[in-house]
Amino acid sequence: MDKMRIRGGKTLSGTVQASGSKNAALPILISSLLSEGACNFSRVPNLQDIRTTLKLLEQMGVKVQNDLQKNRVCLEAKTVSQFEAPYDLVRTMRASVVVLGPLLARFGKAKVSLPGGCAIGARPINYHLTGLEKLGAQIELEGGYVIASAKRLQGARVAFEFPSVGATENVMMAAALAKGESILENCAREPEIIDLAGALRAMGAEIEGEGTEEIRIQGKDKLGGCDYPIMGDRIEAGTFLAGALMTGGAVRVEGLASTHLEAVLVKFEEAGAKIVRGDQFIELQSQGRAKALDITTQPFPGFPTDMQAQFMAIMAVADGASVVTETIFENRFMHVPELARLGADITVRGNTAMIRGQAKLIGAPLMATDLRASASLILGGLAAQGETVVNRIYHLDRGYERMEEKLSTLGADIERIS
Ligand code: EPZ
């Protein structure tokens, strides 16, 4: 199993390109199931989760032209013959549950494994199922699977109990081929939802309001092919900017809109960093040791839970005491005991962590537990004195494309040990 070795204390400086967004690419690739034409996607990140998604689609009968080396994929769902997402695939990548909406809407049937829990929380899919039932789907749970069927989905009003990203994506895709109008309320407003709506519109869907709480969709009888570039990855970008702050450097990330990360940029400024917001770039210039601050994770446009672990690493070396409150996932502090191995002083009470900033961290062997936790350990290693080895970086590879190469171009002393 690959590990990452980091010799800390190097200042990160320079420019890096953001990869395509994992969390936008996953539902967008899956939305090709709705289309009767060729869907050409560019800027698709070459990540484990993307490869798992292509395998899932191929198993269903989708023709896959995989050119991920060039971040390109062409998908043609003309000959879909399997309407099942098996346990073995769904348990490795729970986002595959969003095949439910497109399969139901286009083929009237779907069998999808329940994802089960993961390291960061129970993560049920009740909002997905309730929303699809509102569009007329018959849904049963049997043997750990969701068995769903529908003659033709009917447009309807769906009010989500919570602005769930996955549920909004699943129901939005289903409504694109439903009969009549659907009005989705209390929707997730994340930029990834906007990007998915953009891809669906490129296929001929009629959607408005994405990025707001209310999305209106006029269902179509069929959708065509498209050429669509995936948006830049805001969480990857935020991770590099955090590295600049923790190492006293200056980093510019190109290829994403700064508006996608505003809640995070405001916190970087509160920590004392200088931020330059460009149309398609963000720059962070450290102004010295970070100041302590408080963070509460919330749905977009609030502070993203996917940046919580990285900010905890910043606060571990900040000047003063900080408080982090995690409101989205019930078990997203797995990085705490690992950061403590570097010398961080963190106390957890329920969904709140108190971090007393330390003047320095010392390198140590660490264990990654989930995607964003592994990013925070890499950041901790970059700021620590001496050598850090992060084990089980397959977690990192799920969401960061060639991270060690990008960090090396910014001056980090980091290498992958296979
Ligand atoms: C997406 O997960 C992202 N994943 C997550 O990123 C991200 O943390 C999350 O949104 C929140 O921003 C992808 O886009 C692939 P939710 P998702 O449905 O869709 C509860 C990363 O690090 N809930 O908005 O699963 C749920 O348990 C990953 O890249 C229900 O109770 O998130 C959670 O507590 C991790 N019932 C909360 O809502 C449901 O039916 C938010 O979940 C659905 C969700």
Side-chain angles (χ1 to χ4, degrees):
M1 248 186 262
D2 287 11
K3 307 171 183 188
M4 208 65 97
R5 177 190 294 144
I6 306 150
R7 294 188 191 84
K10 303 281 185 303
T11 300
L12 295 192
S13 290
T15 300
V16 67
Q17 298 299 320
S19 291
S21 160
K22 166 183 82 81
N23 289 348
L26 294 177
I28 288 175
L29 295 179
I30 287 172
S31 73
S32 65
L33 286 167
L34 293 164
S35 163
E36 305 196 9
C39 297
N40 297 294
F41 299 117
S42 52
R43 212 176 172 195
V44 182
N46 189 356
L47 299 167
Q48 185 51 51
D49 279 6
I50 298 290
R51 294 190 289 272
T52 305
T53 303
L54 296 181
K55 194 170 154 206
L56 173 63
L57 293 171
E58 207 151 33
Q59 265 186 11
M60 292 177 174
V62 176
K63 194 166 142 234
V64 175
Q65 280 172 39
N66 175 345
D67 192 3
L68 276 177
Q69 295 307 325
K70 294 200 191 94
N71 300 109
R72 288 180 168 281
V73 168
C74 176
L75 302 173
E76 282 185 76
K78 285 204 180 86
T79 51
V80 171
S81 55
Q82 295 295 320
F83 311 98
E84 178 171 344
Y87 173 67
D88 279 346
L89 274 176
V90 176
R91 74 180 170 79
T92 61
M93 201 217 32
R94 43 176 313 101
S96 44
V97 76
V98 299
V99 298
L100 204 46
L103 287 176
L104 261 177
R106 175 136 177 246
F107 305 102
K109 57 186 169 187
K111 180 178 179 186
V112 175
S113 170
L114 281 167
C118 86
I120 64 175
R123 304 182 73 177
I125 58 166
N126 49 321
Y127 305 146
H128 300 236
L129 304 183
T130 318
L132 293 169
E133 280 173 333
K134 285 265 169 57
L135 298 186
Q138 307 292 318
I139 293 186
E140 281 158 41
L141 302 182
E142 197 188 299
Y145 277 80
V146 176
I147 316 279
S149 62
K151 283 205 179 51
R152 168 103 197 252
L153 293 177
Q154 301 292 319
R157 187 178 287 276
V158 177
F160 294 109
E161 215 177 302
F162 178 88
S164 150
V165 172
T168 303
E169 292 168 343
N170 225 337
V171 178
M172 183 162 78
M173 289 193 275
L177 278 183
K179 192 164 179 36
E181 181 181 46
S182 295
I183 301 173
L184 311 186
E185 295 168 350
N186 195 25
C187 297
R189 301 163 57 189
E190 272 69 4
E192 292 76 18
I193 301 283
I194 298 174
D195 211 34
L196 174 59
L200 293 171
R201 210 175 284 122
M203 296 176 195
E206 206 177 315
I207 300 178
E208 61 182 42
E210 72 277 9
T212 74
E213 283 146 5
E214 184 176 294
I215 301 176
R216 282 173 183 266
I217 302 138
Q218 302 299 333
K220 298 286 175 185
D221 293 339
K222 64 180 188 172
L223 296 177
C226 68
D227 292 310
Y228 195 80
I230 307 288
M231 64 178 240
D233 195 313
R234 60 194 175 106
I235 305 298
E236 181 206 28
T239 305
F240 289 126
L241 298 174
L245 179 55
M246 289 181 73
T247 61
V251 165
R252 175 187 174 108
V253 185
E254 294 184 340
L256 82 158
S258 59
T259 50
H260 289 178
L261 213 49
E262 188 54 27
V264 175
L265 301 183
V266 168
K267 287 295 175 183
F268 278 134
E269 287 168 329
E270 214 179 300
K274 181 166 182 306
I275 296 287
V276 182
R277 295 166 173 80
D279 180 25
Q280 275 295 316
F281 75 86
I282 305 170
E283 202 167 310
L284 182 147
Q285 295 153 8
S286 163
Q287 310 289 301
R289 188 177 177 192
K291 298 191 196 110
L293 46 80
D294 298 346
I295 279 179
T296 300
T297 64
Q298 290 163 324
F300 193 90
F303 188 93
T305 172
D306 294 349
M307 280 299 298
Q308 178 258 98
Q310 297 91 318
F311 261 71
M312 203 179 278
I314 296 172
M315 292 167 202
V317 290
D319 183 6
S322 310
V323 175
V324 167
T325 306
E326 174 57 60
T327 72
I328 307 292
F329 292 107
E330 63 273 24
N331 187 32
R332 204 166 203 183
F333 286 151
M334 303 283 276
H335 40 284
V336 169
E338 296 300 315
L339 288 173
R341 293 174 53 74
L342 296 173
D345 179 350
I346 307 172
T347 312
V348 173
R349 295 260 184 293
N351 71 341
T352 299
M354 156 80 90
I355 306 105
R356 294 178 192 79
Q358 305 297 299
K360 69 175 189 309
L361 299 177
I362 308 290
L366 305 175
M367 186 70 75
T369 50
D370 62 77
L371 169 57
R372 306 305 170 183
S374 46
S376 82
L377 303 186
I378 299 282
L379 292 174
L382 290 170
Q385 291 174 359
E387 183 175 297
T388 293
V389 173
V390 180
N391 293 281
R392 295 191 182 166
I393 53 161
Y394 59 83
H395 289 290
L396 191 78
D397 291 336
R398 296 190 53 185
Y400 291 90
E401 192 180 31
R402 297 177 292 104
M403 189 180 210
E404 72 276 20
E405 286 172 35
K406 291 191 178 187
L407 284 172
S408 301
T409 63
L410 295 173
D413 183 346
I414 182 168
E415 60 181 329
R416 177 182 295 261
I417 308 166
S418 297

